[in-house]
Amino acid sequence: QPAPGPKPAPAAANPGSIKILPSSKPNVQAGAQAMHAGLMPNGRVIFLDKVENSGQLKLPDGQWAYSAEWDPATNQVVPLQYKTNAFCSGGAFLADGRWVSIGGNAPLDFDKTVGDGFRGVRFLKRSATDASLNGQNWVEDPQNIQINSNRWYATVQTLPDARLFVASGSLNGQTPTNNSNNNPTYEILSPTGITEGKSINLPILQNNQPVYMYPFIHLLNNGDLFIFVSKSSETFNVGTGKTVKALPDLPGDYRTYPNTGGSVLLPLSSANGWAPDIIICGGGAYQDITSPTDPSCGRIQPLATTPKWELDAMPEGRGMVEGTLLPDGTIVWVNGCNTGAQGFGLAKNPTYEVLLYDPTKALGQRWSTGPKSTIARLYHSAALLLLDGTLLIAGSNPVEQPLSKPVPNQVPSEDYVTEWRLEIYTPPYLSGANANKRPTNVALSSKALTANGQKFTVKFTAPAGAKACKVALYHGGFVTHSVHMNHRMLFLDNTGFNAGATAQSLTVTMPPNKNVAQPGPYVVYVTVDGVPAIGQFVMVS
């Protein structure tokens, strides 16, 4: 069946709200462009950008900072330094909690302090307990630690054994319509980010050139990977290096770069044996400012006996739309454009509206609309969940070098400027009366947890009249180009909730194995009647 056209969605009964944060000091908001972003174990957010000829923060050596660390608690931001150009890298958290950025692009003449990043591996260490790491620079050893082949626009997925699967990328940043520029391969990195030294052909990437970069990849509960690129998808076994099952094409336009939509692995739980269910929304037809965008979504259970796409639609076509899991099990979708594609100056008609998606409702009733932003979030925007359960929205740098005022009638377009302001979307669960219904005083019996069915205790204070409780284990991952690499959330089995009581003590069961929760840092969110407590970082091994 063909992909559906746009379908109107009702306004959410409680839509939540968006606010623009004030500058932390004159002319300083994000501090660095949010081309890549992630929530660190210290509760702060890292922004990671490419080399730019201007910015907001200077490093001690007088160069512009291309990375920054923003503290939601104080709205202050500090500059961070790196050694190789992180332009359009991929990334993940390592099992030891470090965040890593992989691949990138060439150096630029105006900053001799930053080297070639095509094979770059950049490490950043932050901790929930050691504040001395806050503000420390990226760590790199370009002479000794590099990936096996050049990769610009690679996706990184953490495997159950904590190794990294690094797939796709451009060899040189030149046009992907010439296959000699492309790298339709994958390589494996050790749990500490050291390449195994081989780049192995990946047919699904090979066959979908030129639309083969930044594939959507999700880890499934049998240890296989779901890989989606262009309109094609499959399950793939890393151990054998072979396709397990080719899945049907998703009807509609292209869904990955340069017409990326968003892809989300829906919340996992024991209720259906941790079986994966994946939604992909948005996309576009070609890489130009005239490209239409796709309003349709496909949802698939890749390990079902006969997997098939269930089709749905957003209220309008959207490219560069990104979905983020919320602790109540819904998904918030933000950012993007109604016309155009990814690339410098290739998008117009920004899509400002927040969309809310409830995967538990019946088909046709899952979408509702939230508030509208006033800020265009086009190419190089990002959104991610903070510990307090609100959504940070940042970025938009749709020009080759930062632009402060629109320049009309340019080709490529310079109608949209580099956006430094940060926004916070407060979801329905913290809006109105819900703002005073947070669970408090959350105490975990351990913050070192194992994905082997282990039990731990969560004590907290519930608001009066509480009826139901969930415990979410949440991994935000590495966010770039509307791709949320390694993003996943699990609802953990728990017993002991006492409806109506304020003092609560739960026995919570970890997932059964590392296919369901691969090693690394996660956040535990306790939700009572849908309202989350402040999240706490844990380490899962």
Side-chain angles (χ1 to χ4, degrees), residues 105 121 230 247 276 300 332 347 363 365 380 402 407 411 442 466 512 518:
N105 205 296
V121 184
S230 178
L247 301 171
I300 196 167
V332 57
L363 181 63
Q365 297 171 13
H380 298 143
V407 185
V411 178
V442 175
Q518 68 269 55

Side-chain angles (χ1 to χ4, degrees), residues 41 96 99 202 223 234 268 316 390:
D96 64 15
W99 204 47
L202 189 56
E234 67 178 24
L268 301 167
E316 60 186 332
T390 63

Side-chain angles (χ1 to χ4, degrees), residues 375-433:
I375 297 178
R377 303 283 184 184
L378 300 171
Y379 195 40
H380 298 143
S381 301
L384 56 79
L385 191 70
L386 300 175
L387 286 180
D388 69 358
T390 63
L391 187 81
L392 173 70
I393 304 172
S396 196
N397 190 20
V399 282
E400 190 155 356
Q401 292 294 335
L403 186 70
S404 57
K405 290 194 178 70
V407 185
N409 306 315
Q410 299 299 299
V411 178
S413 166
E414 294 185 0
D415 289 350
Y416 293 97
V417 299
T418 303
E419 183 53 65
W420 297 94
R421 290 172 293 173
L422 302 175
E423 288 171 290
I424 296 288
Y425 170 61
T426 300
Y429 54 53
L430 290 172
S431 299

Side-chain angles (χ1 to χ4, degrees), residues 91-143:
F93 279 99
L94 301 180
D96 64 15
R98 287 180 296 166
W99 204 47
V100 61
S101 154
I102 295 169
N105 205 296
L108 293 175
D109 292 343
F110 54 77
D111 187 346
K112 303 290 188 196
T113 70
V114 176
D116 190 313
F118 271 113
R119 298 191 187 194
V121 184
R122 307 163 200 86
F123 300 96
L124 196 79
K125 188 174 183 182
R126 294 295 185 265
S127 164
T129 53
D130 182 0
S132 72
L133 296 171
N134 296 350
Q136 290 198 11
N137 290 328
W138 290 85
V139 174
E140 293 175 78
D141 183 0
Q143 276 63 51

Side-chain angles (χ1 to χ4, degrees), residues 63-82:
Q63 298 288 347
W64 293 109
Y66 314 129
S67 183
E69 181 170 0
W70 173 73
D71 184 355
T74 62
N75 195 33
Q76 298 299 306
V77 63
V78 296
L80 306 175
Q81 189 160 24
Y82 64 50

Side-chain angles (χ1 to χ4, degrees), residues 340-353:
Q342 290 169 295
F344 296 128
L346 295 184
K348 59 185 179 181
N349 300 328
T351 43
Y352 297 106
E353 194 165 55

